[in-house]
Amino acid sequence: VQLQASGGGTVQPGGSLRLSCTASERSFNAYGTGWFRQAPGQEREFVATISGSGSSGGPYYNDPVKGRFTISRDNAVNTVYLQMDGLKPEDTAVYYCAARTSSYYGIYVSQYNFWGRGTQVTVSS
């Protein structure tokens, strides 16, 4: 499965962005999917995750983004979204989407089989 992440950009603090992760195959709809981010000099960090179709549980968010970010999926277009509101400078990072062949959501990098190229998000005044 090939994943294409898009939607990054530069916004002011308090602004919003919506990231998209579109897959090359419909099998993606059954996969647990997550968003991670990596700031310069830091390890890749879990952001949000959602289960694949046929599995319950989640979505699940890392504490720094709870109440500000929303993950969702549209199976008709093989896409998972990350709506980011109330952005802060500390949200600045390269954001990656990932999918795992299990339908359950996952919060660890090691749980994921497929990764997209990152998309840069910069929050700055």
Side-chain angles (χ1 to χ4, degrees), residues 8-17 19 37 68-69 84-95 120-125:
T10 300
V11 295
Q12 293 186 342
S16 298
L17 284 174
L19 305 183
R37 66 187 181 186
R68 300 188 297 122
F69 291 11
M84 305 187 295
D85 299 317
L87 283 161
K88 303 175 181 181
E90 52 264 43
D91 295 318
T92 295
V94 177
Y95 283 70
Q120 177 70 46
V121 171
T122 302
V123 184
S124 174
S125 55

Side-chain angles (χ1 to χ4, degrees), residues 15-67:
S16 298
L17 284 174
R18 188 177 78 159
L19 305 183
S20 299
C21 177
T22 301
S24 59
E25 301 176 16
R26 289 190 63 81
S27 58
F28 170 77
N29 297 331
Y31 295 169
T33 304
W35 286 96
F36 292 77
R37 66 187 181 186
Q38 189 166 18
Q42 298 187 18
E43 293 188 352
R44 196 164 295 189
E45 174 189 41
F46 163 70
V47 176
T49 181
I50 189 168
S51 297
S53 58
S55 182
S56 61
Y60 188 76
Y61 302 90
N62 201 353
D63 284 346
V65 307
K66 279 182 181 176

